[in-house]
Each structure stands twice: as C-alpha cells, then as structure tokens.
Amino acid sequence: MEGWQRAFVLHGRPYSETSLLLDIFSESHGRVRVLAKGARSKRSALKGALQPFTPLLLRWGGRGEVKTLRGAEPVSLALPLSGIALYCGLYVNELLSRVLQNETAFSELFFDYLECLQTLAATEGSPEPALRRFELAMLGHLGYGVDFLHCAGSGEDVSDEMTYSYREEKGFIASIVINNRSFTGRHLKALYAREFPDIDTLRAAKRFTRIALKPYLGGRPLKSQELFRQFVPKKAPSVPPIKEE
C-alpha cells in the first residue's frame, strides 16, 4: 500500500519481545492486521501513539495477510473516553474486529465510527443512543437490508400501535403474538429514523440490534461486555493501555 491512511487501532497485543500485532480500522482499506516492529521497545516513538481511540495516519506494506507498519503519526490526542463511555468504545471496537472482513473498504462506516466515538466522548448522559445508531449504521453498510416502514406480509405502511413480528430474511409481519421479536410500528419508525425519543424506543432498538447482530457474532460472547459487567463499578482508566498478556 502506498501513501498515508487515516485509521484507528481497534485492538493490539504483544508480539515477540518488542513488537505489537494490531487490528486497525482504516478509511480506505477497512480492517487490516499489521505488525508494528519494535513498537514496544523503550526507544520506540510509536509506543504511546498506537493506542485505541487515537486518530492516526498510518502507512503499511506487504503482501501477506499481516502487513508491516511502515509509519505512524498521531493526528491528535486520544479521544477522552472514560468510565462507561470507555467500555462502550471497547465494545464498538470489538464489534468491528469481529464483524468486518479483512481488507474490505467501508469508508462511510469509518466516519460513522468516528462520529460514534466523538459522541461518546462528549455525552454526559446515556451512551445507549450513540451505540444503537452505530449498530444500525454498521448493519446497513454490511448489506443487512430491512424495511422498517412496511409490513412484509401486506406491503402496507406500518401503523404506530400495531404489533409486528420480526422474521429473518423477510422483515416485519403484523402479528398478535407478543414476544422478544415483537415491535410496534412506533418502534419501527424510530429504528428507521435512528432517533429514540424515550426509553421504550431505546429498549426496542437494543432488542432489534441484538437479534440482527447475532448471526455475525456467532455463539462467542463479546469480551467487552464481560469486562463491562465485571469492572464498570470501578474507576476506569481514561485510555485503555495495550498490556502484555
């Protein structure tokens, strides 16, 4: 690859005594795995820069699945994520690492990701709306097409108070059965608009994205969710360091 690319580190782990193996998310090449040789050495200028949530300019090369990092420059300081927002950022990073295929461009999703991080860093209230918007945006970019505004059975516009049951590969069908896959027309309009004016629509959005993401994630739980459950009562660091395993 030639030239510099805007990118973020999604995840990193030690490789050999002095190097780092990184999953990065770049504007033009999507998710890429790169080897940062010598990045953990005491004299490395890269050690502090190659951290999650730091806007970077990166350059890499190589023909194999794992590229070699040729250069890295921080564009700015790391986005100030702390507390619950930090764990939400780790969750978004893990989603991208798990869901995106290697070296598949998602330029628009890159900016959805940046907007999500900026919103998490600036929001003092609940991070849930930002997460739901990002999940829905990611599903859309992955080609997960679903019509929120029309009944899949009749083709009619959804009605606010009518209940619809979600069925994979079909959409929402009017039904009197109430279960975890049931959504009102009001819920569906909120999902379409990606706007959640109250706790009811926000909870419905979370139910839907959990259902829709399950085929992409398989049966493996997300590590970030386990970390959240275990450590969120404690004070979280402002930036998650890459630690030795």
Side-chain angles (χ1 to χ4, degrees):
M1 186 209 75
E2 298 294 335
W4 295 86
Q5 295 289 319
R6 288 186 284 192
F8 284 88
V9 170
L10 297 177
H11 174 72
R13 64 181 178 87
Y15 185 88
S16 74
E17 293 185 359
T18 60
S19 300
L20 284 171
L21 189 62
L22 305 171
D23 267 352
I24 65 168
F25 183 39
S26 67
E27 178 184 356
S28 299
H29 291 74
R31 185 175 67 84
V32 183
R33 181 158 292 182
V34 300
L35 178 63
K37 295 181 178 180
R40 294 173 57 231
S41 65
K42 293 181 179 180
R43 296 182 180 181
S44 174
L46 300 178
K47 192 173 184 179
L50 297 176
Q51 299 288 337
F53 315 125
T54 299
L56 299 166
L57 287 174
L58 300 180
R59 187 164 54 88
W60 62 87
R63 296 183 178 180
E65 182 177 345
V66 179
K67 312 301 182 184
T68 300
L69 189 67
R70 305 295 191 199
E73 295 182 3
V75 176
S76 66
L77 297 175
L79 291 163
L81 299 182
S82 61
I84 292 177
L86 170 61
Y87 287 94
C88 291
L90 294 173
Y91 164 74
V92 171
N93 280 6
E94 188 175 7
L95 269 186
L96 291 172
S97 292
R98 289 274 296 272
V99 169
L100 298 186
Q101 293 183 349
N102 199 38
E103 295 189 66
T104 301
F106 287 99
S107 297
E108 292 182 8
L109 180 59
F110 181 85
F111 290 100
D112 288 323
Y113 171 73
L114 177 58
E115 181 180 359
C116 180
L117 294 186
Q118 290 173 331
T119 302
L120 289 174
T123 300
E124 296 182 358
S126 171
E128 295 282 335
L131 294 181
R132 302 294 83 81
R133 291 187 190 106
F134 177 76
E135 289 167 342
L136 288 166
M138 184 177 68
L139 286 165
H141 293 307
L142 290 171
Y144 192 92
V146 60
D147 186 348
F148 293 110
L149 299 182
H150 298 92
C151 173
S154 66
E156 296 179 354
D157 294 347
V158 297
S159 174
D160 284 3
E161 304 305 320
M162 180 71 74
T163 301
Y164 300 86
S165 180
Y166 177 67
R167 300 182 187 178
E168 282 91 349
E169 300 182 1
K170 291 185 178 180
F172 296 91
I173 297 177
S175 174
I176 61 172
V177 176
I178 305 297
N179 55 32
N180 188 57
R181 290 172 174 259
S182 300
F183 300 85
T184 66
R186 181 171 174 271
H187 293 156
L188 300 185
K189 291 177 182 178
L191 284 165
Y192 174 78
R194 298 180 190 171
E195 294 292 337
F196 315 107
D198 51 46
I199 191 66
D200 181 50
T201 53
L202 195 55
R203 287 173 176 169
K206 187 172 185 177
R207 274 195 297 120
F208 173 75
T209 57
R210 291 294 176 270
I211 294 169
L213 286 169
K214 188 174 181 180
Y216 294 97
L217 298 173
R220 289 189 297 138
L222 291 165
K223 294 180 181 179
S224 54
Q225 291 180 333
E226 294 299 321
L227 283 172
F228 182 85
R229 295 188 190 101
Q230 186 175 359
F231 296 115
V232 75
K234 302 178 182 180
K235 185 177 180 180
S238 59
V239 176
I242 298 173
K243 297 181 179 180
E244 296 191 25
E245 296 179 347

